[in-house]
C-alpha cells in the first residue's frame, strides 16, 4: 500500500529506484519463504534469511536494469520527459547535479543533511551555461560543503544561476547543457 501511495511522488525520481527496489525485493523474498507458515508448513521458514537476501539482490538488479533501459545513456530527448536526471560530478565523491522538471539541485551528498550541502535553483534563475574543459590544475571552489575535491582533467559545465558561478566537472557536459536548455524553454 505504501508503494502505491508513494508511486505518484517518486516514480519520476530514479535516484530512489535502487533503494525502493531493494526494500520491496527483500520484503517479497521474505514473504515468499514465510507464507507457508500460514498453512501449517514449517520447513520453508528456515529459508527466510536466504529468501530475504535473494529478494534484495533481485530487486537491486531489476532497478539497475530499469535505470539502464530508460536513462542510460543520457540523451537530450530525455529533457522532454518528467524524469529527474542525475549527472554525477567527477572528482567529488557522491556529488551530483539533479535536473528536475522545474529546478536544478547541486548536492555534495545523496542525502542532504543540512542546507550547506546542497543548493536548489528554479530553472528560470539560470542565466547561462557554457561548456568548458578543465586541465586538472585549476582550483575549484564550491559554494556548498564538499567532503573532498580532486581536480580532474576533462569536460565541465560552467553554470551561472542567481549570481553564483559553478564549475561542474562532468563527463556528460554537452548533454547537461542540452537538457537544461530544453527544459528552460518549456
Amino acid at each position: 500500500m505504501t508503494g502505491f501511495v508513494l508511486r505518484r511522488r517518486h516514480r519520476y525520481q530514479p535516484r530512489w529506484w535502487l533503494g525502493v527496489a531493494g526494500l520491496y525485493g527483500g520484503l517479497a523474498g521474505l514473504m515468499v519463504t514465510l507464507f507457508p507458515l500460514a498453512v501449517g508448513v514449517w520447513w520453508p521458514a528456515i529459508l527466510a534469511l536466504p529468501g530475504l537476501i535473494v529478494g534484495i539482490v533481485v530487486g537491486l538488479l531489476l532497478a539497475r536494469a530499469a535505470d539502464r533501459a530508460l536513462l542510460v545513456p543520457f540523451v537530450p530527448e530525455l529533457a522532454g520527459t518528467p524524469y529527474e536526471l542525475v549527472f554525477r560530478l567527477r572528482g567529488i565523491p557522491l556529488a551530483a547535479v539533479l535536473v528536475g522538471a522545474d529546478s536544478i539541485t547541486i548536492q555534495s551528498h545523496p542525502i542532504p543533511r543540512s542546507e550547506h550541502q546542497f543548493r536548489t535553483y528554479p530553472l528560470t534563475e539560470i542565466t547561462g551555461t557554457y561548456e568548458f574543459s578543465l586541465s586538472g590544475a585549476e582550483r575549484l571552489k564550491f559554494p556548498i560543503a564538499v567532503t573532498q575535491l580532486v581536480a580532474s582533467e576533462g569536460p565541465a559545465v560552467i553554470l551561472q544561476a542567481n549570481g553564483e558561478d559553478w564549475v561542474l566537472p562532468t563527463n556528460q557536459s554537452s548533454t547537461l547543457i542540452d537538457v537544461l536548455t530544453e527544459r528552460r524553454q518549456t
Side-chain angles (χ1 to χ4, degrees), residues 1-13 17 20 24 83:
M1 183 63 161
T2 305
F4 183 75
V5 171
L6 294 177
R7 179 182 62 86
R8 287 183 170 261
R9 187 178 341 156
H10 296 296
R11 74 175 156 182
Y12 294 124
Q13 296 177 340
W17 290 357
V20 171
Y24 282 104
Y83 288 103

Side-chain angles (χ1 to χ4, degrees), residues 18-83:
L18 199 62
V20 171
L23 174 71
Y24 282 104
L27 286 174
L30 191 62
M31 290 300 133
V32 165
T33 56
L34 294 180
F35 179 74
L37 289 175
V39 293
V41 179
W42 294 93
W43 70 266
I46 61 171
L47 300 174
L49 184 59
L52 174 72
I53 293 169
V54 167
I56 290 172
V57 169
V58 169
L60 294 176
L61 290 175
L62 285 173
R64 293 283 292 177
D67 187 43
R68 290 202 182 274
L70 292 174
L71 303 173
V72 174
F74 284 129
V75 291
E77 289 82 26
L78 288 173
T81 65
Y83 288 103

Side-chain angles (χ1 to χ4, degrees), residues 7-178:
R7 179 182 62 86
R8 287 183 170 261
R9 187 178 341 156
H10 296 296
R11 74 175 156 182
Y12 294 124
Q13 296 177 340
R15 63 185 162 137
W16 295 103
W17 290 357
L18 199 62
V20 171
L23 174 71
Y24 282 104
L27 286 174
L30 191 62
M31 290 300 133
V32 165
T33 56
L34 294 180
F35 179 74
L37 289 175
V39 293
V41 179
W42 294 93
W43 70 266
I46 61 171
L47 300 174
L49 184 59
L52 174 72
I53 293 169
V54 167
I56 290 172
V57 169
V58 169
L60 294 176
L61 290 175
L62 285 173
R64 293 283 292 177
D67 187 43
R68 290 202 182 274
L70 292 174
L71 303 173
V72 174
F74 284 129
V75 291
E77 289 82 26
L78 288 173
T81 65
Y83 288 103
E84 179 182 71
L85 304 176
V86 179
F87 293 87
R88 299 279 175 221
L89 295 180
R90 187 182 62 251
I92 309 167
L94 302 176
V97 176
L98 309 172
V99 181
D102 56 354
S103 67
I104 183 170
T105 300
I106 303 161
Q107 67 182 16
S108 64
H109 198 272
I111 304 172
R113 295 185 183 123
S114 69
E115 69 260 0
H116 301 295
Q117 292 181 326
F118 71 97
R119 230 16 103 75
T120 301
Y121 303 101
L123 292 177
T124 56
E125 289 185 7
I126 295 176
T127 56
T129 54
Y130 308 99
E131 199 164 356
F132 186 69
S133 181
L134 296 173
S135 66
E138 295 90 359
R139 293 184 60 129
L140 302 179
K141 181 182 171 194
F142 274 67
I144 58 175
V146 294
T147 54
Q148 175 184 357
L149 183 62
V150 179
S152 62
E153 185 178 337
V157 173
I158 296 176
L159 175 74
Q160 296 173 335
N162 199 24
E164 293 180 323
D165 290 342
W166 293 82
V167 178
L168 305 171
T170 179
N171 292 333
Q172 300 167 332
S173 60
S174 60
T175 306
L176 176 59
I177 289 173
D178 292 343

